[in-house]
Amino acid sequence: PKILVKTADLDPRKNYVLGFHPHGVLVAGAFTNFCTEATGFSKLFPGLRYNLLMLPLWFRAPFFRDYIMFAGLVPSDKESASYLLRRKGGGNAVVIAVGGAPEALDAHPGDYTVHLANKKGFIKLAIEHGADLVPIYSFGENELFDQVENRRGTWLRYIQERLQFIMGISLPLFHARGVFQYSFGLMPYRKPINTVVGRPIPVEKNEKPTAEELDVFHQRYMDELSRLFEEHKGNYGVAEDSHLLFQ
């Protein structure tokens, strides 16, 4: 089961940049919550028009491109995101899996690594458009698949990171269960995903934000994401001594 948890109202007169964490192997929680109505996002947050952003590379693939566009996915380039946030009337929201492809390589069960320490592009996007920032953490996202051991410093990780640098996509070697058996396959494990939407961080519009301003909002966002994780982890089986690890 996949459950969407609301912690605060989102004013439909405002615009939002929603940061989704963690990426997981296949971004299953983000797709379910923001490309379908399976968890009732529109009922929990009425009046919002929302789109999940995805690597532009995938929009070059025939047929698959049509499938993801039909689901409401939009390329994750600045021009596309800005277009969505400039739509008149407010109530526009873009959802960004901030950790991106590199974070998928850390998507191991029980791992709470979040690639955020040097990610400021989405912060700049929010400030330039005066869109409030909203952190989201998806408990259970990393539990859906096992991944071949690829710690930093191993040959496998080196090759994966080189391929990711060249191709723009990461290639995690994952496995889980089959259709009729539970020992091996590429179907995800039957594990719950609980996606918690945090409270909005107010952002004043500034079309030319300074480096200091970016740093302030970036730290504020990391603090709010940490608070969200710590406040809710006990509800979803996360150990008390487990904390987010920012990369």
Side-chain angles (χ1 to χ4, degrees), residues 28-153:
F31 184 87
T32 303
N33 287 301
F34 306 112
C35 296
T36 77
E37 276 298 322
T39 55
F41 185 93
S42 294
K43 292 179 181 177
L44 288 175
F45 302 99
L48 289 187
R49 295 179 290 179
Y50 52 94
N51 294 89
L52 177 63
L53 305 189
M54 190 177 190
L55 276 175
L57 170 73
W58 295 114
F59 291 85
R60 299 175 192 159
F63 305 114
F64 183 68
R65 172 187 60 213
D66 300 282
Y67 169 71
I68 58 179
M69 289 177 70
F70 182 75
L73 284 142
V74 173
S76 59
D77 54 71
K78 185 176 180 181
E79 186 179 355
S80 299
S82 295
Y83 171 79
L84 295 172
L85 292 173
R86 284 197 301 262
R87 290 182 295 187
K88 293 182 179 180
N92 304 307
V94 295
V95 186
I96 304 173
V98 178
E103 196 173 82
L105 299 177
D106 286 321
H108 294 270
D111 192 297
Y112 303 103
T113 301
V114 172
H115 288 232
L116 184 57
N118 299 309
K119 302 277 188 177
K120 296 181 183 176
F122 76 108
I123 301 288
K124 186 177 182 182
L125 176 74
I127 297 173
E128 287 175 344
H129 294 85
D132 288 359
L133 288 157
V134 181
I136 298 171
Y137 194 85
S138 193
F139 292 92
E141 190 75 35
N142 286 347
E143 312 300 317
L144 296 181
F145 299 94
D146 288 318
Q147 190 175 162
V148 175
E149 186 59 50
N150 63 339
R151 283 174 291 182
R152 285 175 177 76

Side-chain angles (χ1 to χ4, degrees), residues 3-17:
I3 298 171
L4 188 66
V5 180
K6 174 181 178 179
T7 63
D9 290 328
L10 298 181
D11 188 342
R13 295 169 296 180
K14 294 184 175 182
N15 293 330
Y16 299 93
V17 172

Side-chain angles (χ1 to χ4, degrees), residues 221-237:
Y221 182 90
M222 288 202 300
D223 291 344
E224 189 63 24
L225 179 62
S226 290
R227 186 200 65 78
L228 183 72
F229 179 84
E230 295 295 331
E231 193 172 295
H232 293 274
K233 67 182 183 182
N235 298 331
Y236 306 114

